[in-house]
Amino acid sequence: MAGPLIVPSIECVANFSEGRDAAIVRAIEDAIASSRGVRVLRAERDTDHNRSVITFAGPPDAVSEGALRGIAVAVERIDLRGHAGVHPRMGAADVVPFVPLEGATLADCVAIAHRTGQEIWKRFEVPVYFYEAAAQSPERRMLEYCRRGGFENPNVAPDLGGPALHPSAGACIVGARKILIAFNINLATDDVGIARAIARKIRASSGGLPFVKALGLPLAARGLAQVSMNLTDFEQTPLHVVFDAVAREAALYGVEIAGSEIIGLLPKKALEDAAAHYLQCENFASGLVLENRLHSLE
Amino acid sequence: MAGPLIVPSIECVANFSEGRDAAIVRAIEDAIASSRGVRVLRAERDTDHNRSVITFAGPPDAVSEGALRGIAVAVERIDLRGHAGVHPRMGAADVVPFVPLEGATLADCVAIAHRTGQEIWKRFEVPVYFYEAAAQSPERRMLEYCRRGGFENPNVAPDLGGPALHPSAGACIVGARKILIAFNINLATDDVGIARAIARKIRASSGGLPFVKALGLPLAARGLAQVSMNLTDFEQTPLHVVFDAVAREAALYGVEIAGSEIIGLLPKKALEDAAAHYLQCENFASGLVLENRLHSLE
């Protein structure tokens, strides 16, 4: 057995309401990383939004414990009573979704979300909302619904604990969702109207491609317009379907694709599927990829 | 650390001159797999060619030892004096190339080939030729040169041992090479002349794409013609460059691509590069792939 065994991997994309004090964000990151088995994949700090996103992964229990350790630091060091920023928020540890990676399912992540939520209330007396696949009623699937009114004016009772929020740390919105791909396509035009029209045409909310969110934006520095997208289920609506749809719409305006960008990380399956599609591969299967064999479970 | 550590991985694609007696091939495979750390990725047995190919991988020493154990069984159980088959061959264990995978270089494989060759002569008294990157003179880089005359009529003196071949097991041709991608493109025509013309146009030997070998073949069962290719350095001439070149040539004949096939295994980088190319990704890097982060060296 050359390939190391792979246990199910879970990703957590934790959002904290602090983006200005680097020391606090660093302390949260260190606390997360102190959970044995966890690897921090990315840490992004945004001063305008006064918000940070720490992405980490590992085996289920390690990731849950990492999240709890990060939340402990956030509850201790972030006081929302003095917090300002343009991003809506409900808690010091605001949104904590668990995402299935290799060997894990969405159902696994729902279980981890519920278990972690129980611990958040028990350890920190911070009430918890459950959203997306972990939601306990249909309307709560939407993050925006849970967060209505924000920290100052909460509008929806927590699922666990409360009903009053924690005085300084608010509440924590814990969830389970599929992996999200953030994908931008730059158009070879400075006409943002075209990007907006294409976004409207292809996004799910206006009857376009399922599992696609899209906005048209100007990329002023480069003199280009951009279709900025989130793919919330790339297995249902693959990257290459989205790319081809945007290219086709752009062509109707006589506009070419200038290039594309992947924001954050993307799962290898999305690339494998795209390559197999464009190469018209009749027999493609993940097992044809050498490294997948080396790393697969026995 | 969620990701398991990856030690350098070496692949070995060992060719044995037995494709009819399944028990012998199975015994060779078992012997290879008995080397701790080795994983057998594929075993292909061809009765017409009377030849088998066993592909396995693992850390350098484990793969070398796996090859030696497989060769031991081949030397003991295959007698070339009674062997018939359409494929040219020089030995019971005919061709044994080592290929660098993750974390390994071609130079590593040259060293492994030389070390393994020494052991083959020492343990089994089977003379050894070194070919491709492990060759000891330029003309010996070519497998076909080393194998001239075959078992019955060897034409070139071995690099190690000999000069007489082993009476029943012949010689072993050991080498180091980059990973090879076997890639076939099926044309939506039954005119094999078009496939042959395209193959001639794109292959390196007639001034086409470097590191591409190509043949035109009929796919009688499907009524299609096929351009059957080996890519001997996909980093120099990527999969997508080859695909696009064949599609372009085919279009000149008014012929469409019916599909493509990957034979054997291919490295993930070939797919990542193809996806990034077709999606026009401006910022692509292997580190954007989530699983690559999880599995990367610390």
Side-chain angles (χ1 to χ4, degrees):
Chain A
M1 310 176 339
L5 291 188
I6 290 184
V7 289
S9 281
I10 305 293
E11 186 190 53
C12 180
V13 187
N15 289 237
F16 299 94
S17 295
E18 176 59 64
R20 291 174 190 160
D21 188 329
I24 293 178
V25 177
R26 184 75 212 178
I28 294 171
E29 184 184 334
D30 288 347
I32 291 170
S34 76
S35 171
R36 197 182 155 82
V38 160
R39 179 176 294 193
V40 173
L41 301 173
R42 285 171 73 89
E44 293 149 293
R45 190 163 60 83
D46 186 311
T47 48
D48 289 339
H49 287 172
N50 199 6
R51 189 175 180 84
S52 295
V53 179
I54 301 177
T55 305
F56 54 101
D61 289 344
V63 167
S64 173
E65 180 58 27
L68 289 164
R69 292 185 188 183
I71 293 166
V73 175
V75 169
E76 193 190 314
R77 300 191 55 178
I78 300 172
D79 187 340
L80 283 186
R81 289 168 296 192
H83 179 272
V86 296
H87 202 287
R89 76 281 179 280
M90 181 66 97
D94 194 44
V95 186
V96 180
F98 295 93
V99 176
L101 302 180
E102 293 177 286
T105 65
L106 190 58
D108 296 335
C109 288
V110 170
I112 295 164
H114 289 159
R115 224 159 58 221
T116 308
Q118 297 281 356
E119 284 297 307
I120 292 170
W121 172 239
K122 206 169 90 185
R123 293 195 199 176
F124 316 123
E125 293 182 4
V126 169
V128 171
Y129 297 87
F130 292 116
Y131 84 112
E132 289 223 6
Q136 303 196 327
S137 66
E139 70 278 10
R140 290 181 181 230
R141 294 184 72 87
M142 300 273 292
L143 176 60
E144 296 73 15
Y145 179 90
C146 299
R147 202 157 54 187
R148 260 177 11 184
F151 171 72
E152 287 78 7
N153 230 337
N155 213 308
V156 175
D159 290 300
L160 234 159
L165 302 194
H166 185 286
S168 59
C172 186
I173 309 173
V174 179
R177 60 165 171 80
K178 290 202 177 183
I179 199 163
L180 178 148
I181 298 178
F183 184 51
N184 297 334
I185 297 179
N186 301 328
L187 306 178
T189 174
D190 61 358
D191 183 348
V192 69
I194 296 177
R196 291 197 179 116
I198 294 174
R200 260 195 312 275
K201 186 72 190 285
I202 63 150
R203 69 189 168 213
S205 64
S206 49
L209 297 166
F211 309 106
V212 174
K213 300 177 182 185
L215 281 176
L217 300 171
L219 271 195
R222 293 179 61 188
L224 302 176
Q226 180 178 81
V227 184
S228 176
M229 294 169 289
N230 278 339
L231 280 55
T232 58
D233 191 338
F234 78 93
E235 290 175 293
Q236 304 278 344
T237 302
L239 211 48
H240 54 85
V241 167
V242 172
F243 182 85
D244 289 349
V246 171
R248 206 160 41 232
E249 291 299 321
L252 297 178
Y253 295 94
V255 168
E256 299 212 323
I257 304 297
S260 72
E261 294 170 77
I262 289 164
I263 309 298
L265 299 172
L266 91 169
K268 68 178 174 195
K269 186 169 190 306
L271 286 181
E272 290 175 1
D273 290 350
H277 166 77
Y278 289 113
L279 295 171
Q280 294 181 233
C281 190
E282 295 173 0
N283 68 332
F284 187 76
S286 180
L288 289 181
V289 180
L290 212 144
E291 288 83 352
N292 292 347
R293 298 266 184 126
L294 287 174
H295 297 154
S296 65
L297 286 162
E298 285 288 68
Chain B
M1 308 179 335
L5 290 186
I6 291 183
V7 290
S9 280
I10 305 293
E11 185 190 54
C12 180
V13 187
N15 289 239
F16 298 94
S17 295
E18 176 58 66
R20 291 175 189 159
D21 187 330
I24 293 179
V25 177
R26 185 72 213 181
I28 294 172
E29 185 184 336
D30 288 346
I32 291 170
S34 75
S35 171
R36 196 183 155 80
V38 160
R39 179 176 296 193
V40 173
L41 301 174
R42 284 172 74 88
E44 293 148 294
R45 190 163 60 84
D46 186 310
T47 47
D48 288 338
H49 286 172
N50 198 4
R51 189 175 180 84
S52 295
V53 179
I54 301 177
T55 304
F56 53 102
D61 289 345
V63 168
S64 173
E65 180 59 27
L68 289 164
R69 292 185 188 182
I71 293 166
V73 174
V75 169
E76 194 190 313
R77 301 192 52 180
I78 300 172
D79 188 340
L80 283 186
R81 288 168 296 194
H83 179 273
V86 296
H87 202 286
R89 75 283 178 280
M90 180 65 99
D94 193 44
V95 186
V96 180
F98 295 94
V99 176
L101 302 181
E102 293 178 285
T105 65
L106 190 57
D108 295 338
C109 288
V110 170
I112 295 163
H114 289 159
R115 226 161 54 223
T116 308
Q118 296 282 354
E119 285 296 307
I120 292 171
W121 173 239
K122 206 169 90 185
R123 294 195 198 176
F124 315 121
E125 293 181 4
V126 169
V128 172
Y129 297 86
F130 291 116
Y131 84 112
E132 288 223 7
Q136 302 195 329
S137 66
E139 70 278 10
R140 290 179 181 233
R141 294 184 72 87
M142 300 272 292
L143 176 59
E144 295 74 14
Y145 180 90
C146 298
R147 201 156 52 186
R148 262 184 2 194
F151 171 72
E152 287 77 9
N153 230 337
N155 212 306
V156 174
D159 289 301
L160 236 162
L165 302 194
H166 185 285
S168 59
C172 185
I173 310 174
V174 179
R177 60 165 171 79
K178 291 201 176 183
I179 198 164
L180 178 148
I181 299 178
F183 184 52
N184 296 334
I185 297 179
N186 301 329
L187 306 178
T189 175
D190 62 357
D191 183 349
V192 69
I194 295 177
R196 290 194 180 120
I198 294 174
R200 260 196 311 276
K201 185 73 190 286
I202 63 149
R203 69 188 167 214
S205 64
S206 49
L209 296 166
F211 308 107
V212 174
K213 299 178 182 184
L215 282 175
L217 301 171
L219 270 194
R222 293 180 60 189
L224 303 176
Q226 180 179 79
V227 184
S228 175
M229 294 169 289
N230 279 337
L231 280 54
T232 59
D233 190 337
F234 79 92
E235 290 175 294
Q236 304 278 343
T237 302
L239 211 49
H240 54 85
V241 168
V242 172
F243 183 85
D244 289 350
V246 171
R248 207 160 40 233
E249 291 300 321
L252 297 178
Y253 294 93
V255 168
E256 300 212 324
I257 305 296
S260 73
E261 294 170 77
I262 292 174
I263 309 299
L265 300 171
L266 92 169
K268 69 177 173 196
K269 187 172 190 303
L271 286 181
E272 289 175 2
D273 290 351
H277 166 77
Y278 290 113
L279 296 171
Q280 294 181 231
C281 190
E282 294 173 0
N283 69 332
F284 187 76
S286 178
L288 288 181
V289 180
L290 212 145
E291 287 84 352
N292 291 347
R293 296 263 185 128
L294 287 175
H295 298 153
S296 64
L297 286 162
E298 285 286 67

